[in-house]
Amino acid sequence: MSWKRKLFFIFEALKITPAERKSVSILLVLMVVLAAVNQYIEPQLTVDEHEYAALETEFQQRSQALEMEEAELMKRYNPAVESDIPKKAVSADTTDSSSAGTAEDAISETININTADLKALQKLTGIGPAYAQRIINHRNEHGLFTSFEELLKIKGIGKKRLEKIKPFIKLKE
């Protein structure tokens, strides 16, 4: 039995119509032709090795800068972990320009949110005058904070912001 006849019986067993047979046959032939052509086509490099080396160097420099930036953030948010780092290493841009204190003041002491005034609250990272006023207003209306989670009731303070300021605040003296 010839291969054509075997193929015909396979298609018959699958209940494929003549139009579908032609379509499948054409697609199979096209796939075989493209696979054969693909074997002989050599891929062309769009970037020569010198340009690639320059791109690789730039990538390494940017990656290193991002890693340093991340390390600075980790120092800022987890000062206990990096206790051997001097407090002068933290840059002054970690607080708002409207803040009365410096970054060193913000990290060197914890702030009692039940007694802190507007300027003291602004020393916290991510807490500007508006958030500080909201904290004071909430404290005046509802009494002293008994847990850190009560800060989540203040508009604009979510879980992420709370996690950032939590190491720097306290509830009792």
Side-chain angles (χ1 to χ4, degrees):
M1 202 181 327
S2 73
W3 66 273
K4 290 181 184 179
R5 190 172 175 103
K6 287 180 185 179
L7 189 62
F8 175 79
F9 285 118
I10 291 173
F11 285 142
E12 280 295 318
L14 294 174
K15 306 276 188 215
I16 298 176
T17 65
E20 290 172 335
R21 283 184 218 151
K22 289 178 185 176
S23 299
V24 169
S25 299
I26 291 172
L27 288 175
L28 285 173
V29 169
L30 184 62
M31 193 167 66
V32 169
V33 169
L34 289 176
V37 169
N38 193 28
Q39 293 295 323
Y40 296 105
I41 294 178
E42 192 172 307
Q44 295 179 337
L45 294 176
T46 57
V47 179
D48 68 350
E49 290 183 28
H50 178 70
E51 289 178 26
Y52 182 77
L55 289 172
E56 182 70 23
T57 304
E58 183 178 349
F59 175 76
Q60 294 296 333
Q61 289 172 347
R62 288 185 181 184
S63 296
Q64 187 177 18
L66 286 173
E67 287 172 2
M68 290 176 57
E69 193 175 301
E70 184 177 342
E72 286 294 319
L73 285 173
M74 292 307 291
K75 288 181 217 173
R76 189 167 129 201
Y77 293 128
N78 297 321
V81 175
E82 303 286 339
S83 59
D84 58 316
I85 297 172
K87 290 179 179 137
K88 297 285 185 192
V90 179
S91 63
D93 65 348
T94 58
T95 59
D96 294 331
S97 59
S98 62
S99 175
T102 63
E104 184 176 341
D105 294 336
I107 292 180
S108 65
E109 63 183 45
T110 56
I111 296 172
N112 186 337
I113 58 171
N114 286 321
T115 60
D117 63 352
L118 191 69
K119 289 184 181 181
L121 289 171
Q122 289 180 40
K123 290 180 184 178
L124 296 169
T125 302
I127 303 295
Y131 286 119
Q133 189 60 52
R134 289 179 194 163
I135 292 171
I136 292 171
N137 291 345
H138 188 275
R139 185 174 66 202
N140 292 339
E141 291 173 14
H142 299 95
L144 298 179
F145 293 97
T146 57
S147 70
F148 294 118
E149 284 69 32
E150 286 184 51
L151 287 168
L152 295 173
K153 295 178 183 176
I154 298 171
K155 181 180 178 185
I157 298 182
K159 290 180 181 180
K160 287 184 181 180
R161 190 177 306 265
L162 177 62
E163 288 302 315
K164 288 178 184 178
I165 65 172
K166 203 172 189 177
F168 308 111
I169 59 176
K170 60 184 176 181
L171 300 172
K172 298 178 183 175
E173 288 300 325

